[in-house]
């Protein structure tokens, strides 16, 4: 599965929101599995959108066909955009592609030291994924990779309060077991308040 992460610095939030709802037309396209997104929890005018595709071929077919007409509807509403594609390596809990758009999404964007990639992936599998899956309020998760050293960890939570509870009660012991500082060159985290009306699921049309 291919995961597309779109980060937008938004200039016109109302216009962007209207345009984002127009992406409902993704439903029914070949290879489309779902889309969800929302605003940065810190109150900044930054939107994060995640779409899920069966594979690279399905995504490229979309980009060469329906994409431009849909994207045109948001022209002028954002000032900066960053797009990255990741290959899914693992799901934990429910698949994110099929979840509803309520709650919050936590993303961790990780750049791993070249000689620590295998260790990082193993620790993700044996420590982080089961640890987060068992946390109260964690609904779904995904671990993806881009190139050799870039990784994306997405987790969906019932609420920001439940994620904060996890950070206070469970995260410290998982961090002590994983020792992420030994593996990482850098890590950037965002908490995203999901907008239910931005959610598109396959077959919604």
């Amino acid at each position: 599965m291919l995961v597309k992460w779109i980060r937008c610095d938004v200039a016109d939030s109302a216009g962007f929101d209207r345009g984002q709802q127009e992406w409902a037309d993704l439903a029914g396209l070949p290879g489309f599995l779902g889309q969800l997104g929302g605003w940065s929890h810190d109150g900044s005018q930054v939107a994060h959108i995640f779409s899920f595709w069966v594979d690279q071929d399905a995504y490229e077919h979309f980009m060469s066909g329906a994409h431009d007409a849909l994207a045109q509807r948001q022209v002028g509403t954002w000032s900066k955009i960053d797009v990255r594609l990741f290959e899914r390596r693992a799901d934990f809990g429910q698949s994110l592609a099929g979840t509803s758009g309520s709650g919050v999404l936590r993303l961790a964007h990780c750049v791993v030291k070249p000689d620590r990639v295998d260790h990082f992936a193993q620790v993700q599998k044996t420590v982080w994924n089961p640890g987060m899956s068992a946390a109260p309020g964690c609904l779904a998760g995904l671990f993806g990779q881009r190139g050799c050293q870039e990784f994306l960890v997405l987790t969906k939570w019932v609420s920001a309060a439940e994620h904060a509870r996890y950070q206070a009660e469970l995260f410290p012991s998982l961090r002590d077991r994983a020792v992420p500082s030994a593996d990482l060159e850098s890590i950037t985290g965002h908490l995203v308040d999901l907008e239910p009306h931005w959610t598109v699921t396959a077959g919604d049309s």
Side-chain angles (χ1 to χ4, degrees):
M1 183 172 75
L2 195 70
V3 183
K4 182 177 185 178
W5 172 25
I6 308 163
R7 181 191 185 282
C8 295
D9 291 348
V10 176
D12 172 6
S13 57
F16 186 90
D17 178 80
R18 289 192 299 270
Q20 195 58 45
Q21 295 179 57
E22 297 292 330
W23 290 88
D25 290 346
L26 286 168
L29 291 181
F32 173 74
L33 298 175
Q35 179 167 285
L36 71 165
W39 301 101
S40 285
H41 185 72
D42 63 8
S44 61
Q45 291 297 97
V46 176
H48 297 270
I49 314 297
F50 297 90
S51 61
F52 307 93
W53 298 85
V54 169
D55 54 27
Q56 186 76 32
D57 288 343
Y59 172 71
E60 290 180 359
H61 183 265
F62 159 67
M63 290 299 294
S64 64
H67 173 270
D68 288 357
L70 291 171
Q72 184 65 31
R73 301 169 185 177
Q74 282 177 305
V75 169
T77 65
W78 50 266
S79 59
K80 182 180 179 182
I81 189 168
D82 182 60
V83 179
R84 298 172 189 249
L85 299 175
F86 294 81
E87 287 284 349
R88 179 193 62 184
R89 290 192 54 159
D91 289 320
F92 47 102
Q94 183 182 355
S95 173
L96 271 174
T99 61
S100 69
S102 59
V104 298
L105 197 67
R106 172 67 178 181
L107 73 92
H109 178 220
C110 306
V111 178
V112 180
K113 298 173 184 177
D115 61 340
R116 301 290 292 184
V117 168
D118 289 344
H119 181 266
F120 175 81
Q122 182 64 19
V123 167
Q124 187 68 40
K125 179 181 178 180
T126 59
V127 178
W128 291 112
N129 292 2
M132 290 186 288
S133 295
C138 186
L139 301 174
L142 180 144
F143 178 51
Q145 183 172 1
R146 178 176 184 254
C148 296
Q149 295 175 249
E150 191 175 353
F151 293 85
L152 182 68
V153 183
L154 295 175
T155 48
K156 185 179 176 187
W157 300 81
V158 170
S159 65
E162 288 290 355
H163 179 259
R165 176 185 172 190
Y166 153 76
Q167 286 188 308
E169 297 179 1
L170 297 178
F171 175 79
S173 63
L174 296 175
R175 180 188 55 205
D176 289 346
R177 290 171 58 196
V179 195
S181 60
D183 293 336
L184 296 175
E185 287 188 354
S186 66
I187 182 170
T188 304
H190 301 277
L191 193 64
V192 180
D193 293 320
L194 293 172
E195 291 284 359
H197 54 282
W198 291 6
T199 300
V200 186
T201 56
D204 267 353
S205 59

